[in-house]
Amino acid sequence: MSGVYQAEIVSNNSIDNEAYLLTLKAPEIARASMPGNFVQLKIEMADGGFWRRPFSVLDTDGGNIKILYKPLGKGTLALTKFPPGKIVSVIGALGNSFSFPSRDSMIILTGGGIGVPPLYNLAKHLIKSDYNPRNIHFFNGAAGHDSIVYLEESAELGINVYAVTEDGSMGIKGYVTDGVKQFLNGMSKTSLSNEPVMYACGPMPMLRAVGLMVSEYDVYCEMALEALMPCGFGICMGCVVMARDDKSVEGFSYKRVCREGPVFRADDIIWETDGKKWLNY
């Protein structure tokens, strides 16, 4: 069950490629959190910024939760200045979570940019649940080697990790979906007898490309959507997406990323006509 908590900052350190790792003492959230869940963090700013910011949970450690973020706006830039010992208001754990696949599945994690945290969290939970780490394949995509995050830490889990960069400066050259397609195309029919299951998180253009890809390859996929979430409770309706709905006369309904999500089946999301201008990917 989610709640509003006053959490102490344990650490807030710059790590690699302009990313920061924030650790909060929040035992209630740590106990309840599952891969795919998020929290809403209140960031106090000089200009009196009002809305909370959503962050995926990267990991839990005892009574602590860990958040991986990049200072991409004034809110997260302000957050980089928060020192250890500071008390912040946090709501969580929020949203739904990824389902676990069958144990003989080939598990493909597809992450782009700062969409890596819930996938790392999922991989760690799967391994704790005695899934074979060699059956887990993590594709970590970014623009270049200087923007890829949490690559080495993911490899330390003992899973298969692949870097994919748009400029070719590290690993496979191209979009992260290009790397996944190469992997699927290279698998023999015998290897694919272990049913592939995909989990994805990243920018909306990337997720749209993933949705089209899994439809082409007929692969089951769950994705954690990224969206602005002014409230996090489903009240403001500021984070809706169009999803297929057999119970609706129109055949679709608007789902709140913060409430019905953030995790959705890829084949439930309607990308082409949901009123948003998704960029090519």
Side-chain angles (χ1 to χ4, degrees):
M1 179 178 292
S2 62
V4 183
Y5 302 100
Q6 300 301 306
E8 179 183 350
I9 295 179
V10 177
S11 60
N12 186 21
N13 300 320
S14 173
I15 53 172
D16 57 335
N17 292 339
E18 300 181 352
Y20 283 74
L21 183 61
L22 172 67
T23 303
L24 299 174
K25 185 176 182 181
E28 297 87 355
I29 298 176
R31 284 194 297 268
S33 177
M34 290 294 291
N37 288 163
F38 67 97
V39 298
Q40 288 277 95
L41 183 63
K42 185 176 182 179
I43 302 176
E44 299 173 357
M45 294 182 287
D47 64 359
F50 180 75
W51 298 115
R52 294 175 181 266
R53 266 71 170 179
F55 296 94
S56 296
V57 177
L58 170 75
D59 195 7
T60 58
D61 180 14
N64 298 333
I65 63 171
K66 296 183 179 182
I67 294 169
L68 184 70
Y69 71 97
K70 283 189 174 184
L72 301 176
K74 64 180 182 180
T76 45
L77 183 60
L79 182 59
T80 65
K81 309 298 183 183
F82 285 16
K86 182 178 177 64
I87 305 299
V88 294
S89 175
V90 58
I91 305 175
L94 296 169
N96 61 357
S97 58
F98 292 115
S99 65
F100 280 24
S102 63
R103 291 191 174 275
D104 59 351
S105 298
M106 177 193 300
I107 302 164
I108 303 172
L109 309 179
T110 305
I114 208 66
V116 164
L119 302 176
Y120 174 88
N121 197 358
L122 175 60
K124 197 165 184 180
H125 271 75
L126 290 172
I127 293 169
K128 286 181 180 178
S129 299
D130 295 326
Y131 281 74
N132 184 349
R134 303 314 300 168
N135 289 338
I136 302 174
H137 301 264
F138 196 162
F139 289 82
N140 188 329
H145 76 280
D146 57 350
S147 56
I148 204 160
V149 295
Y150 239 62
L151 189 71
E152 293 181 3
E153 292 84 351
S154 299
E156 289 171 0
L157 297 177
I159 64 178
N160 305 284
V161 176
Y162 312 85
V164 186
T165 53
E166 294 174 27
D167 63 5
S169 57
M170 178 182 285
I172 302 166
K173 182 177 182 179
Y175 295 124
V176 68
T177 46
D178 295 326
V180 177
K181 286 179 180 179
Q182 288 183 30
F183 175 76
L184 290 174
N185 290 337
M187 300 302 295
S188 67
K189 291 184 178 180
T190 302
S191 300
L192 286 175
S193 62
N194 289 343
E195 191 72 21
V197 177
M198 191 175 301
Y199 300 88
C201 184
M204 283 296 201
M206 187 211 91
L207 293 181
R208 178 184 180 277
V210 170
L212 295 174
M213 176 182 66
V214 296
S215 177
E216 175 187 351
Y217 284 84
D218 193 25
V219 173
Y220 176 82
C221 176
E222 295 180 5
M223 50 179 60
L225 302 189
E226 293 185 351
L228 294 175
M229 300 177 187
C231 72
F233 291 110
I235 298 173
C236 72
M237 302 297 287
C239 62
V240 296
V241 293
M242 185 181 283
R244 291 179 176 82
D245 187 349
D246 294 335
K247 297 179 181 179
S248 169
V249 175
E250 294 84 1
F252 69 89
S253 60
Y254 289 98
K255 303 292 186 181
R256 299 162 294 184
V257 174
C258 68
R259 195 71 173 179
E260 286 79 41
V263 177
F264 294 90
R265 286 181 52 144
D267 55 6
D268 282 341
I269 301 300
I270 301 174
W271 297 102
E272 303 297 341
T273 58
D274 63 357
K276 301 181 187 295
K277 296 181 180 178
W278 308 118
L279 301 176
N280 291 327
Y281 194 84

